[in-house]
Amino acid sequence: LFREIGSALKLADAHGYRTATIDAVLSRMGRSTSLFDIIDLVGTDITLRILTNLRDEDPSVYVSPRLAAAIEAGVLGRKNNTSIRAVIDASPVTPELR
C-alpha cells in the first residue's frame, strides 16, 4: 500500500499529475479508496515516517518532498481537518521535485 502511495506521489511530483487524475486512473484499475484519502486518514506525518522507514530498507521506495512541505505548512490530514490534496494540487511542479 505505501509503495503505491509513493508511486502516486511520484506521479504528482515528477509529472505534474493532479490528485483527481490519479484517483480516476486508479479507480478504473479497481482501487475503491483514494490513496490521498489514506494519507489523510493515516496522517501526513505518519505517512512520511513509514515511507522513510521503507526507503531505508529499499531505496526504490519514493519519498515525496511534498510530505515534509505539507507537515511544515501544518497539513496533517484528519488530525487537523486538512488534506494532502491541497498541497499537491496547489504546488507547481519544480525541478527540485523531479
Side-chain angles (χ1 to χ4, degrees):
L1 175 63
F2 283 91
R3 182 177 292 282
E4 279 184 64
I5 288 171
S7 295
L9 292 169
K10 187 172 187 176
L11 286 172
D13 289 351
H15 303 289
Y17 285 93
R18 299 296 177 221
T19 58
T21 303
I22 295 168
D23 284 343
V25 170
L26 291 176
S27 72
R28 297 285 299 193
M29 297 172 64
R31 172 157 292 290
S32 60
T33 305
S34 165
L35 295 174
F36 305 104
D37 288 345
I38 293 170
I39 293 171
D40 289 339
L41 178 66
V42 171
T44 309
D45 53 338
I46 302 302
T47 299
L48 176 59
R49 190 174 312 152
I50 290 169
L51 287 172
T52 301
N53 288 340
L54 289 172
R55 186 186 57 200
D56 288 346
E57 295 297 318
D58 179 357
S60 71
V61 173
Y62 182 74
V63 179
S64 174
R66 290 192 207 202
L67 292 171
I71 294 165
E72 187 174 312
V75 176
L76 300 176
R78 289 181 125 183
K79 293 176 184 179
N80 65 351
N81 249 358
T82 56
S83 179
I84 189 69
R85 292 172 188 279
V87 173
I88 293 170
D89 291 338
S91 299
V93 177
T94 59
E96 59 270 8
L97 291 177
R98 291 182 188 262

